[in-house]
C-alpha cells in the first residue's frame, strides 16, 4: 500500500472481504424465515460462503503464510471480482425493472383520478429523482469495484513475494505424499490449491 507493510494491506483486504461475504451466510438464513430465493441469489450466497471460508483461512495464516493458501486466495479474488461485476449488473438491472414497473402502475392509477394533475412538474421531479438515484448507484458501484481491484493487486503483490522467496518454495513431492493420507474433501481442497498455485505462478512469477 506504499506507507504500510504489505502484509497489513493483505490483512485489511481480507478483513473487509470477510465482512462483505458474511452477507452470504445471512442470506441463507432467509430460508428459515420463509423468504423465497431465486437461482441467482442462491449462486451469490453459496459463492459468498465459499469465498468467506477461503478469506478466513488466509487471515488465520497471514503471519505464517502458506503459498498454496494465498495462491488460492489470489485466484479466488480474481474470480470474485468478475462475479461481483456480473452480480452488480444483474441485480441493478432487476432493481430498475422493478422501479420501472412500479412507476407504470402508479401512472396507470393516477390516470383514473378525477383531480387535475400538473404532468410537467411531475415528470421533471420524477426524472430528477431517477437521475439522482442512478448517479448515486453508479458511483457506489464503481467505487466498490475499484476497491475490489485494488485489493486484488495487493494480494497479487503478496503472492508474488511468496513465489519468489526461497523460504516459501513448494515441494510438489511432499504435497503428493500428503494427499494419499487425506479424506476426499481434503484432497479436493489441496488439488484446487495446487491448480491455483500453478495459475498464480504463470501470472506472477
Amino acid at each position: 500500500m506504499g506507507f504500510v507493510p504489505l502484509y497489513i494491506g493483505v490483512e485489511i483486504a481480507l478483513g473487509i472481504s470477510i465482512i462483505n461475504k458474511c452477507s452470504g451466510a445471512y442470506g441463507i438464513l432467509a430460508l428459515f424465515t420463509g423468504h423465497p430465493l431465486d437461482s441467482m441469489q442462491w449462486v451469490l450466497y453459496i459463492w459468498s460462503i465459499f469465498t468467506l471460508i477461503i478469506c478466513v483461512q488466509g487471515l488465520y495464516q497471514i503471519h505464517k503464510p502458506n503459498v498454496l493458501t494465498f495462491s488460492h486466495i489470489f485466484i479466488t479474488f480474481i474470480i470474485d471480482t468478475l462475479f461481483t461485476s456480473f452480480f452488480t449488473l444483474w441485480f441493478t438491472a432487476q432493481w430498475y425493472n422493478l422501479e420501472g414497473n412500479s412507476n407504470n402502475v402508479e401512472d396507470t392509477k393516477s390516470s383514473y383520478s378525477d383531480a387535475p394533475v400538473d404532468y410537467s412538474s411531475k415528470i421533471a421531479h420524477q426524472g430528477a429523482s431517477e437521475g439522482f438515484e442512478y448517479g448515486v448507484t453508479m458511483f457506489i458501484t464503481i467505487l466498490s469495484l475499484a476497491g475490489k481491484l485494488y485489493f486484488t493487486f495487493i494480494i497479487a503483490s503478496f503472492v508474488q513475494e511468496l513465489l519468489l522467496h526461497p523460504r516459501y518454495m513448494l515441494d510438489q513431492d511432499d504435497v503428493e505424499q500428503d494427499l494419499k493420507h487425506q479424506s476426499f474433501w481434503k484432497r479436493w481442497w489441496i488439488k484446487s490449491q495446487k491448480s491455483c498455485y500453478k495459475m498464480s505462478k504463470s501470472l506472477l512469477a
Side-chain angles (χ1 to χ4, degrees), residues 1-204:
M1 297 178 70
F3 52 91
V4 295
L6 185 58
Y7 76 91
I8 294 180
V10 174
E11 283 183 315
I12 294 173
L14 292 175
I16 293 176
S17 297
I18 288 170
I19 294 172
N20 179 260
K21 295 306 175 183
C22 281
S23 62
Y26 286 114
I28 293 295
L29 293 178
L31 292 174
F32 300 99
T33 63
H35 182 75
L37 298 177
D38 60 32
S39 57
M40 295 303 296
Q41 288 175 314
W42 267 107
V43 173
L44 173 62
Y45 293 148
I46 292 173
W47 172 254
S48 296
I49 293 173
F50 175 75
T51 310
L52 175 64
I53 294 171
I54 292 177
C55 290
V56 168
Q57 186 181 21
L59 192 62
Y60 180 75
Q61 296 184 10
I62 186 65
H63 295 292
K64 293 182 179 179
N66 181 293
V67 68
L68 282 177
T69 299
F70 280 92
S71 296
H72 207 188
I73 293 171
F74 171 55
I75 299 301
T76 301
F77 260 65
I78 293 176
I79 298 172
D80 186 55
T81 301
L82 298 175
F83 271 27
T84 300
S85 302
F86 171 76
F87 284 123
T88 300
L89 293 173
W90 174 270
F91 289 118
T92 300
Q94 294 293 312
W95 179 61
Y96 277 109
N97 285 335
L98 291 174
E99 286 288 310
N101 291 334
S102 63
N103 288 335
N104 290 335
V105 171
E106 290 178 1
D107 290 342
T108 303
K109 289 181 179 178
S110 64
S111 65
Y112 291 101
S113 176
D114 295 331
V117 179
D118 186 356
Y119 288 102
S120 60
S121 61
K122 183 179 179 181
I123 292 173
H125 175 72
Q126 182 179 351
S129 176
E130 288 182 354
F132 177 76
E133 288 179 359
Y134 181 77
V136 171
T137 302
M138 291 303 298
F139 175 76
I140 294 175
T141 300
I142 293 172
L143 189 65
S144 61
L145 289 177
K148 185 68 178 178
L149 284 173
Y150 183 60
F151 288 154
T152 303
F153 284 124
I154 291 175
I155 299 293
S157 299
F158 187 73
V159 173
Q160 187 177 45
E161 286 193 2
L162 295 181
L163 292 171
L164 298 177
H165 200 293
R167 178 182 175 183
Y168 301 105
M169 290 185 66
L170 184 66
D171 191 332
Q172 298 282 355
D173 293 333
D174 288 344
V175 174
E176 292 294 337
Q177 187 67 28
D178 291 339
L179 285 177
K180 296 179 181 179
H181 308 287
Q182 303 292 342
S183 64
F184 169 79
W185 292 109
K186 185 69 174 179
R187 290 200 304 271
W188 176 84
W189 187 265
I190 294 176
K191 284 181 179 179
S192 67
Q193 287 183 328
K194 285 184 62 181
S195 299
C196 291
Y197 169 78
K198 293 176 181 177
M199 286 187 281
S200 299
K201 199 169 184 180
S202 64
L203 290 171
L204 301 174

